[in-house]
Amino acid sequence: MTAPHPLRLDPGELDDLNEHARRVRVSIVTMLAAAKSGHSAGPLGLADIFAALYFNLLRHRPEQPDWPDRDIMLLSNGHTAPVLYAAMAHSGYFPLEELGTLRRLGSRLQGHPERHALPGLENTSGPLGSGLSQGAGYAHVFQHLDHRSDRWVYVVMGDGELNEGNVWEAAMYASKYRLSQLIGIVDRNFIQIDGDTEDVMPLGDLAGKWSTFGWHVLEVDGHDIAALVDAVNVAKAEASRPSVIIANTVPGKGVPFMEGDYTWHGKVPNADQAADAVRALTAVGAAR
């Protein structure tokens, strides 16, 4: 397991990224409260990762979603879609006001992303375990067919999702074909819908598992944006195998009454709880 290199972001860049993450969290809370259904804990825990991706790491053009030189970002655990939608809206793919249509009939923002519904979505996700296979396919084309060494594929996965065998089939495939332009990010928050991952189906030595499958493994604090950015840069320097970043996160991060509580995996705040959550997140912003 490789340790990330020292910090490369300057303080101003880091402050901006942390503020993006805070705003994404506020949007997650408000859109879920308006929808009255969805998943809270996972999206809130992923906000720092998505801020790092959409505002620093990804090569993309929100004004030109089909730009042929773009990187590919795939959300495998599709039920965490609110964090994806919020990051996309804040980076300019569609108006922020549209976040209020989450899960409504006819909305482009359904409970699980649908690729053709919204420009900038690269995959349809919902059935867990499929994202890494999709990402391996993209990476194989880039490396072995198109011979494009300048395009990267990112796949965000949940740790509970790793119970799916399809993930490990894709892991073997990516290792065999040395898909070094494929970077997996595992949201290691230790919860799934029925409780702690280690009670439901223990993952044990997760870093060791990925390493045994032939992957370059890094492990970081998933709320340390500087470490996340640096880990991706380390992964990009690995030329002979795919990389996976195990990002340790707190489910419900930023909302004190949700943090670490698996029961918030699949429920949303009511109006009063949402107001409390936004106040807590606003206080974090004011303290900077």
Side-chain angles (χ1 to χ4, degrees):
M1 185 168 57
T2 308
H5 294 165
L7 172 67
R8 292 189 179 90
L9 292 172
D10 68 44
E13 289 176 305
L14 185 55
D15 285 346
D16 287 346
L17 289 170
N18 282 318
E19 177 61 13
H20 283 306
R22 187 194 68 81
R23 291 177 180 175
V24 164
R25 286 190 169 97
V26 170
S27 290
I28 290 168
V29 168
T30 54
M31 64 199 290
L32 285 170
K36 296 183 172 59
S37 69
H39 297 74
S40 299
L44 288 165
L46 281 165
D48 300 297
I49 294 170
F50 275 78
L53 285 167
Y54 275 86
F55 297 97
N56 183 276
L57 293 165
L58 283 175
R59 186 168 69 162
H60 65 132
R61 293 179 177 175
E63 73 283 2
Q64 188 182 353
D66 294 327
W67 180 42
D69 294 329
R70 72 192 184 281
D71 291 335
I72 300 297
M73 212 305 295
L74 305 174
L75 179 65
S76 187
N77 51 336
H79 57 276
T80 63
V83 69
L84 172 60
Y85 297 148
M88 290 177 68
H90 281 275
S91 60
Y93 279 91
F94 58 89
L96 286 169
E97 293 76 19
E98 192 172 348
L99 292 174
T101 70
L102 177 69
R103 288 179 170 248
R104 291 185 186 173
L105 184 65
S107 170
R108 299 193 294 176
L109 312 182
Q110 288 303 308
H112 293 81
E114 200 282 303
R115 185 169 68 90
H116 296 292
L118 185 67
L121 289 180
E122 302 287 0
N123 67 319
T124 297
S125 54
L128 293 173
S130 299
L132 195 61
S133 296
Q134 295 165 336
Y138 272 108
H140 188 106
V141 169
F142 292 163
Q143 291 182 224
H144 298 298
L145 299 180
D146 292 348
H147 304 290
R148 291 289 303 266
S149 61
D150 58 342
R151 297 186 70 187
W152 298 87
V153 183
Y154 299 89
V155 181
V156 176
M157 298 170 275
D159 52 0
E161 179 182 17
L162 302 186
N163 296 164
E164 298 285 349
N166 191 22
V167 173
W168 302 104
E169 294 178 43
M172 288 189 288
Y173 177 92
S175 176
K176 171 181 168 59
Y177 290 102
R178 300 180 180 273
L179 301 181
S180 57
Q181 286 164 237
L182 176 62
I183 299 174
I185 302 174
V186 175
D187 178 24
R188 187 64 166 128
N189 66 10
F190 287 89
I191 69 163
Q192 53 195 99
I193 197 164
D194 290 327
D196 191 293
T197 58
E198 303 312 288
D199 293 330
V200 177
M201 183 60 69
L203 292 167
D205 180 8
L206 192 52
K209 281 184 171 64
W210 283 99
S211 181
T212 299
F213 274 75
W215 284 56
H216 173 213
V217 182
L218 302 105
E219 189 162 7
V220 299
D221 176 346
H223 304 302
D224 183 339
I225 291 179
L228 285 162
V229 169
D230 194 63
V232 169
N233 289 329
V234 172
K236 286 183 172 182
E238 173 57 57
S240 63
R241 53 185 170 160
S243 295
V244 64
I245 298 167
I246 299 173
N248 295 293
T249 66
V250 175
K253 179 69 174 179
V255 179
F257 62 84
M258 292 187 192
E259 287 188 355
D261 184 353
Y262 83 89
T263 64
W264 284 99
H265 173 93
K267 69 177 182 179
V268 300
N270 60 33
D272 290 340
Q273 290 169 325
D276 288 343
V278 170
R279 277 193 289 270
L281 291 164
T282 302
V284 169
R288 285 202 183 100

